[in-house]
Amino acid sequence: MKMDAGIDMNDLTDEERRLLDKIRLRKEQLIEDIKSLQREIHGISEEMDTMDVDEESRENTREKKLLAGKRQFNLNPTKGIAYLIDQELLEPDCEEVAKFLYSDGLNKTAIGDYLGEKEDFNLDVLNAFVNLQELQDMLIVSALRQFLWSFRLPGEAQKIDRMMEKFAERYCDLNPGIFTTTDTCYVLAFSIIMLNTSLHNPSVKNKPDIEQFVSMNRGINDGGDLPRELLESIYDSIKKEPFKIPEDDGNDLNNTFFNPDKEGWLWKQGGRYRSWKRRWFILSGKCLYYFEYTADKEPRGIIPLESLSVRECAEEQSRAHCFELFGLHTDCIKACKTDKKSGKVMEGRHNVYKMSAASAAEMEDWIKCIK
């Protein structure tokens, strides 16, 4: 009896044969252990891939709910806040809600309406909102400019009254000694708003001069007069530069894309460097818009879909579930993007736009919607 290595088994002692059998058995066990480990590693890899997809899906769902909540807020602030709290995207805490009101993508008029409500919780939010304003070491005109840019004043006098009262309290707390009482700051703030309207509203024919403004504010400092130099500097500042009142003119992203055909996260391949970046895509009105973040007001890029088609394509660089946009009659796709550094609008340089979805189902849905 011969072994593969040319050793005659008959030359081996019984002890050597038993030892050889043990070695063979151990070898078979090791091979089986290796195969088992390989199967386990493969299973873990598949599980991790599934976890990545699940995590991305959860993130997509959260971002969609957050965007839906912001849109609901812009339509009905109270319902929007209730929705976000119900979806556990916002804590039912006045300070947390106040922080949320400084988020991008919120309608400034809706913010003003919400802050102006007389419900106890709204009043607490107003107080917390104003307390987030950093007004120390600021002239009152500069502080008022900053404050009035964070929301749009509502039309009701009672709501404005509550807001200006909170502003005066905050300003005086951070700048002690400038005014005798918070009432002085409150009255002067109202006076400044009236001055801004009188000087810059075309319907006001008789514009007040500095003497009228000084006369209007006599005795408001706890019975005394404010320094004339202060009033002159306020007058000159408002005359040279009116308040910038936030305009909600319908061009805001959240108004433009109220009912998109589809939205969600996709990985997009770059045109020049071929790197993949995660972007928030919105399909609306025969155009595909992509953003760096869901709450961005301006898209990073716009892809008009006229004369374009879409198809599934091969995986690239470990990116699965890929599809691409391509021109039907041209090799170069007409699109534009915003340069991140300069902010200038640039022409996109793509023969095709390649995207990767989180799952096969998501990819198929995007293709169906684009078609």
Side-chain angles (χ1 to χ4, degrees):
M1 184 177 181
K2 296 286 186 179
M3 292 181 63
D4 292 342
I7 300 174
D8 192 336
M9 291 290 291
N10 295 324
D11 293 338
L12 299 177
T13 65
D14 291 342
E15 183 66 27
E16 288 174 333
R17 288 176 182 175
R18 284 193 296 273
L19 180 59
L20 184 59
D21 288 339
K22 288 182 179 180
I23 291 173
R24 283 174 173 168
L25 182 60
R26 180 59 180 156
K27 178 182 177 182
E28 291 174 357
Q29 290 174 341
L30 286 172
I31 291 173
E32 185 59 35
D33 288 344
I34 290 171
K35 290 180 179 179
S36 178
L37 283 171
Q38 287 175 333
R39 289 193 295 269
E40 187 176 348
I41 290 171
H42 180 71
I44 292 173
S45 297
E46 288 186 339
E47 185 178 346
M48 290 178 67
D49 290 341
T50 303
M51 288 174 62
D52 289 341
V53 172
D54 289 345
E55 182 64 29
E56 190 162 346
S57 297
R58 283 194 293 270
E59 182 64 22
N60 284 348
T61 300
R62 185 185 185 281
E63 293 291 348
K64 287 181 180 179
K65 288 181 177 179
L66 180 60
L67 190 57
K70 288 186 175 183
R71 289 171 176 165
Q72 180 65 49
F73 178 89
N74 291 342
L75 289 171
N76 186 313
T78 301
K79 288 184 178 179
I81 294 297
Y83 170 85
L84 290 167
I85 292 174
D86 183 62
Q87 295 296 320
E88 298 183 350
L89 296 172
L90 193 60
E91 293 292 328
D93 175 79
C94 61
E95 293 185 359
E96 291 301 314
V97 173
K99 291 176 184 178
F100 168 75
L101 296 182
Y102 285 99
S103 302
D104 288 335
L106 295 183
N107 183 293
K108 296 293 181 72
T109 299
I111 296 173
D113 288 342
Y114 186 79
L115 293 173
E117 293 298 325
K118 202 175 181 181
E119 299 295 330
D120 289 342
F121 186 75
N122 296 71
L123 294 175
D124 291 340
V125 172
L126 171 61
N127 190 59
F129 181 88
V130 176
N131 285 340
L132 289 172
Q133 294 270 336
E134 297 297 335
L135 307 176
Q136 61 266 34
D137 301 321
M138 295 180 70
L139 297 174
I140 187 170
V141 175
S142 301
L144 202 52
R145 289 185 192 280
Q146 176 181 299
F147 180 61
L148 294 179
W149 182 249
S150 59
F151 65 98
R152 188 176 176 88
L153 277 173
E156 296 88 342
Q158 289 182 340
K159 293 182 178 182
I160 298 174
D161 183 75
R162 288 194 292 271
M163 292 172 174
M164 300 316 299
E165 186 177 309
K166 290 298 180 183
F167 167 81
E169 291 175 2
R170 176 66 172 169
Y171 185 82
C172 290
D173 285 344
L174 296 176
N175 301 278
I178 293 182
F179 300 111
T180 305
T181 66
T182 57
D183 286 344
T184 302
C185 182
Y186 164 81
V187 173
L188 181 60
F190 253 118
S191 178
I192 294 171
I193 293 174
M194 292 171 61
L195 175 68
N196 182 81
T197 302
S198 299
L199 289 178
H200 299 288
N201 189 330
S203 63
V204 178
K205 302 303 180 182
N206 298 319
K207 306 297 183 185
D209 57 22
I210 181 60
E211 295 302 329
Q212 289 173 302
F213 182 65
V214 170
S215 176
M216 184 171 63
N217 289 286
R218 284 202 177 102
I220 68 170
N221 194 21
D222 198 23
D225 294 340
L226 291 170
R228 184 182 176 90
E229 311 86 71
L230 172 63
L231 297 176
E232 286 180 346
S233 68
I234 291 172
Y235 183 91
D236 291 340
S237 176
I238 296 298
K239 186 176 182 179
K240 291 177 182 177
E241 184 182 359
F243 286 139
K244 293 180 180 179
I245 306 300
E247 295 288 345
D248 293 315
D249 56 5
N251 292 324
D252 184 80
L253 165 66
N254 292 283
N255 292 321
T256 304
F257 302 130
F258 263 124
N259 296 297
D261 299 314
K262 185 169 176 61
E263 57 187 356
W265 288 106
L266 291 171
W267 289 89
K268 185 185 79 71
Q269 189 180 51
R272 181 179 297 178
Y273 300 110
R274 303 296 177 186
S275 60
W276 291 85
K277 293 183 179 179
R278 193 164 178 254
R279 295 288 184 252
W280 179 258
F281 280 77
I282 291 181
L283 175 62
S284 179
K286 291 293 182 181
C287 276
L288 193 60
Y289 306 81
Y290 59 92
F291 303 76
E292 190 167 3
Y293 305 104
T294 56
D296 285 351
K297 294 183 178 180
E298 300 293 337
R300 289 294 308 278
I302 303 173
I303 309 170
L305 296 177
E306 289 184 10
S307 301
L308 298 186
S309 189
V310 60
R311 64 194 172 198
E312 186 176 351
C313 61
E315 298 181 8
E316 283 200 20
Q317 299 178 5
S318 74
R319 294 290 172 194
H321 318 305
C322 295
F323 62 99
E324 62 183 14
L325 300 172
F326 63 97
L328 294 172
H329 311 295
T330 178
D331 292 332
C332 184
I333 295 178
K334 184 180 179 181
C336 64
K337 64 178 181 178
T338 305
D339 183 73
K340 192 171 184 179
K341 293 182 179 179
S342 66
K344 293 181 179 178
V345 177
M346 304 168 58
E347 185 177 355
R349 300 176 181 177
H350 285 263
N351 295 324
V352 295
Y353 275 88
K354 291 189 176 181
M355 273 79 77
S356 170
S359 65
E362 188 73 358
M363 175 195 70
E364 291 170 2
D365 195 39
W366 272 106
I367 292 175
K368 179 183 176 182
C369 290
I370 291 173
K371 284 183 175 179

